């Protein structure tokens, strides 16, 4: 499987079982292997390698997908086509999409290939047939002859080696379409699922789940769901429930805010619906259901049995302390297999870094390394967890500081408290200030580790470095050993991603991608403001009326914060 890293963020492959390197990290992008070949990007173009890392189809494509039945979809420029395992085009690149469908057919869509992503890099996206919003139509064509087998259809993925879900224009009902253009199942389902584990969930009828429906007509129109197999056969006939998942012979179903479990034959186990239900794991024989506020087990025979999670050891610490599931709570057990305390705690973050925060009946406390409570019983309203031997704790509406011996190092007296880099931001009587664990007022911390992280490029990717040129900081990149790989000569620079780094070009008033040889990548579109294009749910703080200059100033501010030359990092503004 693929693994990427290093100063240039290049990709190679490791052995899936042993996690040892198999193919060196030398590609800008490395996609998963399929049918013995993997698409990789080298110097801006995609080709295909074999399992020995040999390039067997030369890099000549702008985009590439995995192989299906000996065929793969590729993009040249802004058009998609289909190649065989030798790299020969079976379908010339003339389409927006060209999806191999069995060994002798293809689904094609007229137009241009997928637009560039926010980084300016063309990239296929995952599961776009299910995620596309405009529901574009595809033609089914015979690959050898180019003959159209089926006019425009809306397509959703089932399994391209056998069938796809398809809906005719103007019709929201899906059927199962075969590669020869015939219907294995005529269109009749309003909701269809991707094939997973040899099963696809299908539903029809749309009025279920709306409050206030009680008429006979409403019941007749309610959603019904069934299950279709790989060959199009019915595995489970339509049921009155919405089927939400399947695992190891159990189906999770829902109706009117209640949840139940069906067996393979469609029988409602336990003869009723519950407040919630969890399917067993892939080897489990008992589901879990929530009834009357308590989790219990439900076996294949439909009998209510002991919760299969009861008694399960969730974690064992070096001291011998164990965390054991008891219904929906956690019991702490010592090395002698006896409970260390009498309480069953709420679900917690399991760690062996003591003291550990725990909650019981809405109150917080801390466990010591021997599994006993630091202060018994738990009595804190809330807490911030232990850091460097101290924890912020709230008692009767006020915050104080507790030490690791259970002694209140600083009496509760603050209205607010937030730990930060070895100090605490507090407020008292309307005044906000900083203190240390003893209560002594201190300056706001410099957050040196947070600052350094702004310059680092991943765990083994080196870091961004600077030099002063006539009073102006210029930026480049050094590897993990400190060797300069990009000379500091840019007003700002982004870390390498997919073998490319982004830098501002003042003469173009744009950010453009450069490769590891500092050559501008011509087939990658430049952007006006790289920093703004690299986040999905926010925009960067505006620092200039000129979008280009604003982005440069923002990144320079982030880098200067990393050098401890600026009090605070530049900010983001939420898009929501």
């Amino acid at each position: 499987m693929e693994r990427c890293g290093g100063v240039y963020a290049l990709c190679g492959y490791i052995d899936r079982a042993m996690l040892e390197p198999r193919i060196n990290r030398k590609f800008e992008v490395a996609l998963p292997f399929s049918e013995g070949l993997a698409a990789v990007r080298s110097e801006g173009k995609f080709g295909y390698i074999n399992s020995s890392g040999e390039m067997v189809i030369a890099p000549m494509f702008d985009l590439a997908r995995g192989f299906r039945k000996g065929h793969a979809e590729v993009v040249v420029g802004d058009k998609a086509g289909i190649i065989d395992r030798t790299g020969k085009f079976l379908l010339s690149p003339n389409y927006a999409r060209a999806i191999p469908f069995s060994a002798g057919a293809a689904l094609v869509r007229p137009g241009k290939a997928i637009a560039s992503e926010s980084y300016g890099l063309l990239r296929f996206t995952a599961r776009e047939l299910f995620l596309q919003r405009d529901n574009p139509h595809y033609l089914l064509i015979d690959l050898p002859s180019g003959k159209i087998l089926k006019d425009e259809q809306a397509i959703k993925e089932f399994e391209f080696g056998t069938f796809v879900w398809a809906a005719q224009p103007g019709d929201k009902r899906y059927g199962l379409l075969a590669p020869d253009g015939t219907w294995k199942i005529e269109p009749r389902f309003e909701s269809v699922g991707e094939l997973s584990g040899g099963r696809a969930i299908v539903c029809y009828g749309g009025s279920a789940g709306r409050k206030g429906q009680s008429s006979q007509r409403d019941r007749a129109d309610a959603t019904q769901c069934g299950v279709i197999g790989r060959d199009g056969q019915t595995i489970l006939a339509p049921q009155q429930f919405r089927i939400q998942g399947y695992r190891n012979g159990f189906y999770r179903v829902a109706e009117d805010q209640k949840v139940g479990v069906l067996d393979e034959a469609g029988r409602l186990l336990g003869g009723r619906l519950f407040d919630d239900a969890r399917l067993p794991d892939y080897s489990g024989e008992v589901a879990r259901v929530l009834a009357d506020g308590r989790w219990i087990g439900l076996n294949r025979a439909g009998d209510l049995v002991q919760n299969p999670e009861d008694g399960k050891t969730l974690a064992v610490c070096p001291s011998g302390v164990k965390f054991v599931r008891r219904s929906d709570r956690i019991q702490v057990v010592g090395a002698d297999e006896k409970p260390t305390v009498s309480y069953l705690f709420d679900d917690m973050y399991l760690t062996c870094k003591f003291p550990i925060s725990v909650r019981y009946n809405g109150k917080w406390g801390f466990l010591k390394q021997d599994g006993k409570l630091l202060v018994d019983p738990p009595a804190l309203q809330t807490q911030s967890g232990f850091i460097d031997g101290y924890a912020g704790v709230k008692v009767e509406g006020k915050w104080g500081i507790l030490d690791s011996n259970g002694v209140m190092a600083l009496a509760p007296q603050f209205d607010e408290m937030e730990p930060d880099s070895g100090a605490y931001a507090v407020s008292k009587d309307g005044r906000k200030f900083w203190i240390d664990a003893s209560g002594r007022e201190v300056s706001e911390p410099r957050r040196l580790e947070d600052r350094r992280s702004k310059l680092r490029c991943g765990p083994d990717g080196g870091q961004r470095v600077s030099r002063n040129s006539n009073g102006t900081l210029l930026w480049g990149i050094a590897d993990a050993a400190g060797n300069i790989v990009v000379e500091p000569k840019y007003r700002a620079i982004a870390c390498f991603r997919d073998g490319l780094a982004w830098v501002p070009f003042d003469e173009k008033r744009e950010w453009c991608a450069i490769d590891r040889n500092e050559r501008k990548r011509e087939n990658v579109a430049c952007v006006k403001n790289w920093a703004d294009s690299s986040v999905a749910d926010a925009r960067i703080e505006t620092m200039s009326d000129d979008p280009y200059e604003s982005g440069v100033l923002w990144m320079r501010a982030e880098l200067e914060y990393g050098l401890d030359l600026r009090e605070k990092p530049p900010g983001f503004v939420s898009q929501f």
Side-chain angles (χ1 to χ4, degrees), residues 438-456:
S438 69
R440 181 173 60 92
E441 287 196 33
V442 296
S443 300
E444 182 174 347
R446 302 302 300 170
R447 303 177 182 88
L448 294 180
E449 181 55 33
D450 178 57
R451 291 175 180 274
R452 295 187 188 106
S453 71
K454 302 298 184 184
L455 304 179
R456 285 196 291 265

Side-chain angles (χ1 to χ4, degrees), residues 280-474:
D281 60 27
Y282 289 98
S283 60
E285 293 293 312
V286 179
R288 292 190 298 142
V289 293
L290 182 63
D292 302 321
R294 189 170 69 95
W295 286 96
I296 53 179
L298 182 64
N299 66 18
R300 294 185 188 277
D303 300 322
L304 294 176
V305 296
Q306 181 181 353
N307 183 347
E309 294 289 304
D310 275 357
K312 180 179 179 180
T313 297
L314 303 176
V316 181
C317 294
S319 63
V321 168
K322 295 192 296 188
F323 301 99
V324 179
R325 174 74 68 187
R326 297 296 180 197
S327 186
D328 57 342
R329 295 185 180 274
I330 305 291
Q331 184 178 58
V332 184
V333 176
D336 59 0
E337 300 298 326
K338 296 180 180 179
T340 59
V341 290
S342 60
Y343 311 106
L344 295 180
F345 299 109
D346 296 343
D347 257 330
M348 67 178 76
Y349 173 68
L350 297 176
T351 176
C352 293
K353 293 180 66 174
F354 297 91
I356 300 170
S357 56
V358 292
R359 189 174 67 175
Y360 173 74
N361 278 352
K363 297 291 185 180
W364 289 89
F366 296 96
L367 286 177
K368 299 183 294 183
Q369 193 160 352
D370 60 2
K372 298 186 182 298
L373 284 164
L374 196 61
V375 178
D376 194 353
L380 306 172
Q381 286 177 266
T382 188
Q383 45 76 40
S384 63
F386 269 88
I387 302 174
D388 297 330
Y390 296 94
V393 296
K394 191 174 186 180
V395 180
E396 295 182 356
K398 297 293 184 180
W399 283 89
I401 295 179
L402 188 73
D403 69 18
S404 56
N405 294 315
V407 177
M408 198 66 75
L410 191 61
Q413 57 190 283
F414 302 103
D415 301 314
E416 295 177 345
M417 175 178 286
E418 185 70 33
D420 188 342
S421 305
Y424 298 83
V426 296
S427 68
K428 183 178 181 180
D429 299 329
R431 176 172 168 255
K432 295 185 176 183
F433 53 102
W434 290 84
I435 61 170
D436 62 15
S438 69
R440 181 173 60 92
E441 287 196 33
V442 296
S443 300
E444 182 174 347
R446 302 302 300 170
R447 303 177 182 88
L448 294 180
E449 181 55 33
D450 178 57
R451 291 175 180 274
R452 295 187 188 106
S453 71
K454 302 298 184 184
L455 304 179
R456 285 196 291 265
C457 297
D460 62 349
Q463 65 177 351
R464 292 179 282 183
V465 294
S466 65
R467 69 176 175 86
N468 193 308
S469 175
N470 298 323
T472 299
L473 285 177
L474 298 180

Side-chain angles (χ1 to χ4, degrees), residues 463-509:
Q463 65 177 351
R464 292 179 282 183
V465 294
S466 65
R467 69 176 175 86
N468 193 308
S469 175
N470 298 323
T472 299
L473 285 177
L474 298 180
W475 291 90
I477 293 178
D479 64 18
N483 302 308
I484 300 295
V485 298
V486 177
E487 287 291 335
K489 61 183 180 182
Y490 300 99
R491 290 178 64 206
I493 192 168
C495 292
F496 276 92
R497 176 181 182 266
D498 295 343
L500 300 175
W502 289 80
V503 295
F505 285 86
D506 284 342
E507 62 274 19
K508 291 174 61 72
R509 309 298 290 174

Side-chain angles (χ1 to χ4, degrees), residues 74-141:
V74 296
V75 171
V76 177
D78 60 3
K79 296 289 185 178
I82 293 176
I83 61 170
D84 64 15
R85 291 177 60 86
T86 70
K88 176 186 175 184
F89 272 101
L90 300 176
L91 185 67
S92 297
N94 291 316
Y95 305 94
R97 290 298 308 271
I99 306 171
F101 184 19
S102 80
L107 291 157
V108 300
R109 179 163 60 85
K112 292 184 178 182
I114 301 168
S116 62
E117 63 172 23
S118 60
Y119 283 95
L121 300 173
L122 286 168
R123 177 80 60 87
F124 281 121
T125 57
R127 300 186 73 243
E128 58 232 47
L129 290 181
F130 266 88
L131 298 176
Q132 58 196 8
R133 296 178 181 178
D134 53 353
N135 216 20
H137 292 162
Y138 291 77
L139 301 174
L140 174 61
I141 64 173

